[in-house]
Amino acid sequence: MTGPLLEVRDLEKHFVIGEGWLQRQAARLRAVDGVSFAIGAGETLGLVGESGCGKSTLGRLLLRLIEPSGGTIRFEGVDVTTLDRAGLRRQRRAMQIIFQDPYGALDPRMSVGDIVGEPLAIHAVPRAEIPRRVAETLELVGLARGHAGRYPHEFSGGQRQRIGIARALALRPRFIVCDEPVSALDVSVQAQIVNLLQDLQAELRLTYLFIAHDLAVVKHISDRVAVMYLGQIVEIADKRTIYARPLHPYTQALIAAVPSTRPRGRRRERLAGEIPSALHPPAGCRFHTRCPYVMDVCREQPPRMVAATPGHEVACHLVAGS
């Protein structure tokens, strides 16, 4: 195959909130609003931003766990947005998700073996093969074969997340959305899960979209980083570039907030104020209400995504006008 494994163009998800007089739409929440990016095979793209910016919605859109309002999602050249129910089920063998909450994501009434084996049963793997496949997958994530007969409440948070990872791996997918998979875990356990994901990626040749708000974790696991603000990607580059030379004021503020024992170079502005509502996003640049460098053009015109250097794209009038 040539080209990216996953390619997203102008992806949108708008939620209609309430109904107005004579059935007119009362409001439209623009959770994801014109997002474009690509991920190469074997790559990890980190997706960062504040809570409520649309990261998890975007991750679910890629697997069509929620339906997009517009745009295209191409996986291995196939437009996922046009697939019927049967085609989507076949496609999901190659595309899976790891959820954030290791407690709420596992059915407490099901044994670990049934949880990990459920995707195999759904996709018509012969029943006689399922116990072997489950046992192999549990060992792959650092759990024992004997754990298949136990229940989620018998495990720690880190072990439960390993069960969630095993479920995502059961069908041996090629692409996994990691939706803040360590944010609910103790710091001491987070590193273990991140290292496990990296080991699995190398062994199984996996491709990840790794969603997080912790930039230190994203820096450790990602090859490239995309920064999302109020439903839109405002900057994307390889991790070394984006941490050493962030160009968008929002990215600069996020990185400035990361604890560090090393003195920084030039002072960067800290992020102030609250993220605006996606129901009524600001006109022009959506970040202008919080930007320390705001200009008149920022209030009037949305900035275009431009290439500052090869592979480093940013949507900011400061960069476009330089």
Side-chain angles (χ1 to χ4, degrees):
M1 158 182 184
T2 60
L5 182 76
L6 179 80
E7 186 173 17
V8 174
R9 290 287 173 239
D10 302 320
L11 190 62
E12 296 181 343
K13 181 59 184 179
H14 298 169
F15 295 97
V16 175
I17 308 299
E19 295 291 338
W21 184 57
L22 295 178
Q23 301 300 307
R24 293 176 182 172
Q25 295 174 1
R28 189 176 290 269
L29 190 151
R30 300 174 181 272
V32 175
D33 203 22
V35 166
S36 300
F37 62 89
I39 309 178
E43 182 185 28
T44 298
L45 177 66
L47 182 65
V48 301
E50 295 168 284
S51 296
C53 71
K55 304 186 303 296
S56 292
T57 301
L58 175 56
R60 285 163 170 76
L61 282 173
L62 299 184
L63 276 66
R64 272 185 59 191
L65 298 178
I66 53 178
E67 292 295 326
S69 304
T72 59
I73 305 162
R74 291 191 175 275
F75 182 80
E76 297 182 324
V78 175
D79 188 350
V80 177
T81 59
T82 64
L83 295 176
D84 60 15
R85 187 170 182 175
L88 186 58
R89 173 174 286 194
R90 290 191 297 270
Q91 191 69 41
R92 283 184 179 152
R93 293 182 68 99
M95 306 171 72
Q96 290 291 311
I97 187 168
I98 300 167
F99 292 103
Q100 175 181 359
D101 183 5
Y103 297 91
L106 305 178
D107 189 334
R109 299 165 298 180
M110 296 176 67
S111 70
V112 169
D114 288 340
I115 290 170
V116 177
E118 186 177 35
L120 300 171
I122 289 173
H123 288 271
V125 172
R127 183 174 297 181
E129 289 186 26
I130 291 178
R132 175 184 60 80
R133 295 270 294 269
V134 167
E136 291 174 352
T137 306
L138 289 176
E139 289 186 335
L140 198 61
V141 301
L143 296 172
R145 289 175 175 248
H147 287 155
R150 295 167 62 179
Y151 287 82
H153 72 271
E154 301 178 64
F155 296 88
S156 67
Q159 288 174 318
R160 291 188 195 198
Q161 194 58 292
R162 289 175 187 264
I163 296 167
I165 294 170
R167 178 184 170 90
L169 290 175
L171 291 166
R172 297 299 186 265
R174 295 182 289 284
F175 172 69
I176 297 180
V177 173
C178 304
D179 186 9
E180 302 210 34
V182 299
S183 63
L185 304 176
D186 293 339
V187 173
S188 59
V189 180
Q190 288 183 5
Q192 298 174 21
I193 297 300
V194 169
N195 290 337
L196 171 64
L197 289 171
Q198 289 181 306
D199 291 343
L200 291 169
Q201 183 175 42
E203 183 175 349
L204 302 177
R205 299 181 180 179
L206 297 169
T207 301
Y208 294 144
L209 176 69
F210 190 92
I211 300 170
H213 61 267
D214 188 331
L215 272 75
V217 173
V218 170
K219 184 177 182 180
H220 180 73
I221 195 172
S222 301
D223 299 300
R224 290 187 301 135
V225 178
V227 181
M228 194 168 186
Y229 184 78
L230 206 59
Q232 299 177 336
I233 289 179
V234 298
E235 188 165 5
I236 186 167
D238 69 84
K239 68 177 180 183
R240 290 183 178 86
T241 298
I242 212 162
Y243 281 87
R245 187 173 170 261
L247 296 179
H248 198 284
Y250 180 59
T251 310
Q252 293 172 2
L254 290 178
I255 292 175
V258 176
S260 176
T261 57
R262 298 181 180 180
R264 300 185 185 273
R266 67 181 180 88
R267 179 177 174 272
R268 292 180 182 140
E269 296 288 341
R270 297 276 178 161
L271 193 60
E274 297 295 327
I275 187 169
S277 170
L279 278 170
H280 305 288
C285 174
R286 295 188 176 183
F287 187 62
H288 85 256
T289 59
R290 306 170 73 189
C291 182
Y293 312 113
V294 62
M295 304 177 291
D296 288 341
V297 67
C298 305
R299 299 183 178 94
E300 298 166 0
Q301 298 179 19
R304 296 181 299 106
M305 184 72 82
V306 298
T309 57
H312 188 176
E313 296 181 280
V314 59
C316 180
H317 289 298
L318 286 169
V319 177
S322 63

